[in-house]
Amino acid sequence: MWRVGMMSEEIIGQALRSAVDRVNQAVARRAKALPALPPRLVAVSKTKPPEMVIEAYKQGHRNFGENYVNELVDKASNPEILKSCPEIKWHFIGHLQKNNVNKLLGVPNLFMVETVDSAKLADKVNGSWQRIRAASTQTLRIMVQINTSGEQSKHGLPPEETVNTVKHILSQCSALHFAGLMTIGRYGFDLNEGRNPDFEMLLSQRQKVCDNLNLPMEDVELSMGMSNDFENAIEVGSTNVRVGSIIFGNRDYPNSAANTPSPSPEKKSKVVSEEAAKKMARLTVSEH
């Protein structure tokens, strides 16, 4: 166990440093008109065991993302994470169904919900947050997800509904803090064909939101870019990138459906942890 833990720490530490270096290099390539500020790097820990989250936290990382409500609830409530990671910031970056809103909003250290994709969902999140955090005046950071590619397999608002949806949130959802816009986008776009149309669409939607609702551009974040395209996303203006595999390695799916709850959180964590341990063991070198 000691050797696996040390190898895990070394691998994750190196991967995080490499990711941060790539982020900074991408920022340096930005047009001078864009702010030279590093975007928020969200480490996506989907399917990875709590031990890996703790290791990344020990390396100084604070923002982590999850795609599935059940998995986020399990990890955020894990006793070791609660004990070892008091300043962790959880981002929910998956599709949110209304019947899971209450469960999600009860997550300890929930920092942002990036995937609000309708005014009705915003109303549900707003009402639930008011009830769950009744004694607190803290608002919940949310982003509005846009389906920039038009793919039926992708969730998000049609672009033409963006301005009215943001207007509804600003005027009717007092418990929510509108932080910006988010997109998944088409996977694997070839930049040799030109500028990424999904990034261009999100940029144009931010411009329309700011123009129509009189919002400062710097107050509207853009969450776009993942492991395969985050550098280009940063170059064109992303303020929040969601990166998983280059930090934690390829994902493991011990169950046929990633969002199917296990019989118990303990069993699920054990299965994923054993898979991670096997991978780390194969990578282990001698102590010399």
Side-chain angles (χ1 to χ4, degrees):
M1 286 297 294
W2 178 83
R3 295 177 72 193
V4 170
M6 291 294 288
M7 179 57 73
S8 173
E9 181 177 348
E10 180 181 348
I11 291 173
I12 291 175
Q14 290 177 351
L16 270 172
R17 288 189 292 274
S18 175
V20 171
D21 285 345
R22 290 172 65 181
V23 166
N24 292 334
Q25 291 168 17
V27 170
R29 295 192 294 269
R30 277 177 171 171
K32 294 187 181 299
L34 293 171
L37 296 174
R40 186 186 298 107
L41 176 62
V42 179
V44 181
S45 48
K46 180 170 70 171
T47 80
K48 299 303 177 180
E51 292 82 2
M52 284 190 169
V53 173
I54 293 170
E55 289 295 349
Y57 186 93
K58 287 179 179 178
Q59 298 294 324
H61 203 71
R62 294 295 180 266
N63 290 280
F64 293 83
E66 288 290 338
N67 291 69
Y68 300 113
V69 172
N70 289 338
E71 188 171 1
L72 177 52
V73 169
D74 287 349
K75 280 185 188 160
S77 304
N78 179 277
E80 289 303 313
I81 287 182
L82 288 171
K83 176 183 176 182
S84 305
C85 312
E87 297 178 353
I88 197 168
K89 298 176 180 179
W90 288 109
H91 295 240
F92 183 70
I93 60 173
H95 179 56
L96 179 58
Q97 296 177 318
K98 293 185 181 69
N99 61 339
N100 280 328
V101 167
N102 289 339
K103 184 186 295 186
L104 173 63
L105 299 193
V107 164
N109 297 309
L110 181 64
F111 179 75
M112 184 183 293
V113 178
E114 297 194 17
T115 50
V116 173
D117 59 4
S118 70
K120 288 184 178 179
L121 180 59
D123 288 338
K124 174 67 176 176
V125 173
N126 181 68
S128 295
W129 186 255
Q130 287 176 324
R131 289 191 299 273
I132 292 171
R133 308 295 169 101
S136 172
T137 58
Q138 180 182 1
T139 55
L140 174 66
R141 296 176 183 85
I142 63 101
M143 287 189 174
V144 172
Q145 182 179 2
I146 312 300
N147 185 346
T148 55
S149 65
E151 296 171 280
Q152 291 186 353
S153 60
K154 297 287 194 303
H155 295 285
L157 277 173
E160 61 271 17
E161 296 180 17
T162 304
V163 171
N164 285 339
T165 301
V166 174
K167 182 178 180 180
H168 175 87
I169 291 168
L170 293 172
S171 62
Q172 303 298 321
C173 300
S174 60
L176 305 183
H177 172 75
F178 170 67
L181 305 176
M182 178 264 207
T183 188
I184 301 294
R186 185 177 285 104
Y187 182 80
F189 177 77
D190 185 355
L191 288 175
N192 290 322
E193 298 178 8
R195 295 170 68 92
N196 188 314
D198 292 301
F199 298 165
E200 293 296 297
M201 175 62 77
L202 205 65
L203 286 162
S204 71
Q205 289 304 309
R206 179 175 65 174
Q207 187 68 56
K208 290 179 180 179
V209 165
C210 292
D211 290 346
N212 282 273
L213 303 179
N214 196 28
L215 297 178
M217 194 81 71
E218 59 271 19
D219 289 351
V220 182
E221 292 197 47
L222 296 178
S223 177
M224 58 187 191
M226 297 183 287
S227 286
N228 64 309
D229 59 8
F230 73 96
E231 289 159 300
N232 178 244
I234 292 169
E235 290 172 20
V236 299
S238 178
T239 65
N240 188 90
V241 292
R242 311 174 302 271
V243 174
S245 59
I246 67 169
I247 296 174
F248 297 113
N250 292 331
R251 295 183 179 117
D252 303 306
Y253 292 102
N255 300 318
S256 58
N259 198 27
T260 301
S262 300
S264 69
E266 293 78 11
K267 182 175 181 180
K268 177 180 181 179
S269 179
K270 181 179 179 182
V271 170
V272 180
S273 298
E274 287 176 351
E275 289 295 323
K278 289 177 183 177
K279 283 195 171 185
M280 292 300 178
R282 288 198 295 271
L283 293 170
T284 301
V285 296
S286 65
E287 296 175 18
H288 299 293

